[in-house]
Amino acid sequence: KKKLGVVYLNDDWGNRAYKTLEGILEENNPGGYEIVAAEPILGGDMDYSSVISNLKAAGAESSIMFCYYDSVVPFSIKAASAYPELNIVCGGNCYNDTFLSVGGKDVEGCLAPTVFDASQDTEVVKTFVKDYEALADGAVPSNISAQAYDAMSVMLEAIDSVGGKLDREAIIAAVRDNNHEGAIGPCAFDENRDAKMTFTAMKVEDGKWVPCK
């Protein structure tokens, strides 16, 4: 489904995400994707009827959601009846139990890119999930929780590696050169100090997030 309708928060982050997607598609688009509609939103539990109508009128086949789960859920609930054939692609922030429990059957089929998959059969992921669930009354850790856990782990290991000294430059170097293997995988950085992350496409099936087949 290559005709895209972009729904984005009308704030700095949302506008920047939309413009970034535009730039990516202009520079490198072997798949032939096309943005046929773009709808800025205030977000939250608002009436998405007109937004969905505009996407439908433009012929959008997939909706790219640059917003949080509190917007994606009501959007999905409305789309389930008004435009059921619309493919909904949300952000990694929707990879959490609240999204699934609140959205219920109406978020079935939603897609999301995430750097964390709680079902991965690795010791580090299994240990993290087990410990997290024990502390969170059985809740599955979210994508954001896994990133926060790894970020803190890298920082603590960096401080420990310099003997516990609060030496700014030494800690920065230790973080940059870390070899930590965390819940999201290797915690490496590029020359711009941006984290290198490998994303996995996830889909909601039977009320759970599962890797796309």
Side-chain angles (χ1 to χ4, degrees):
K1 296 184 176 182
K2 299 181 178 182
K3 293 184 178 181
L4 311 178
V6 182
V7 179
Y8 62 97
L9 284 176
N10 194 16
D11 59 13
D12 289 343
W13 172 73
N15 280 278
R16 188 166 60 250
Y18 168 46
K19 292 301 180 183
T20 298
L21 176 61
E22 274 192 319
I24 291 172
L25 295 181
E26 288 174 2
E27 293 177 10
N28 184 25
N29 187 11
Y33 293 96
E34 176 189 6
I35 296 176
V36 298
E39 295 287 324
I41 61 171
L42 296 176
D45 190 14
M46 56 175 275
D47 183 0
Y48 291 94
S49 299
S50 61
V51 173
I52 294 170
S53 294
N54 291 341
L55 297 185
K56 189 173 185 178
E61 299 168 318
S62 296
S63 178
I64 309 298
M65 309 291 292
F66 291 129
C67 48
Y68 302 108
Y69 72 86
D70 63 340
S71 301
V72 180
V73 168
F75 178 93
S76 300
I77 291 173
K78 184 64 179 179
S81 58
Y83 196 6
E85 58 269 38
L86 183 66
N87 197 42
I88 298 175
V89 182
C90 46
N93 61 76
C94 291
Y95 184 92
N96 62 65
D97 278 356
T98 302
F99 177 79
L100 297 174
S101 62
V102 176
K105 62 180 179 59
D106 293 313
V107 298
E108 282 287 313
C110 282
L111 301 163
T114 176
V115 296
F116 173 66
D117 174 10
S119 68
Q120 274 191 317
D121 190 26
T122 65
E123 285 305 315
V124 64
V125 170
K126 288 191 292 185
T127 298
F128 170 59
V129 171
K130 180 181 178 181
D131 291 346
Y132 186 97
E133 289 179 338
L135 293 171
D137 296 324
V140 176
S142 68
N143 182 52
I144 303 301
S145 298
Q147 292 183 61
Y149 175 79
D150 281 356
M152 183 58 69
S153 296
V154 169
M155 177 61 72
L156 293 175
E157 288 177 10
I159 294 173
D160 186 61
S161 72
V162 298
K165 297 177 181 178
L166 298 183
D167 183 323
R168 182 175 184 273
E169 294 303 321
I171 292 173
I172 289 175
V175 168
R176 183 190 62 225
D177 300 330
N178 84 87
N179 59 2
H180 182 78
E181 185 76 22
I184 66 171
C187 298
F189 298 88
D190 64 19
E191 63 277 7
N192 297 317
R193 297 181 181 178
D194 290 326
K196 296 179 181 179
M197 295 185 179
T198 300
F199 287 84
T200 298
M202 307 291 286
K203 185 177 183 178
V204 180
E205 290 186 357
D206 298 324
K208 296 180 180 180
W209 281 109
V210 298
C212 289
K213 299 176 182 177

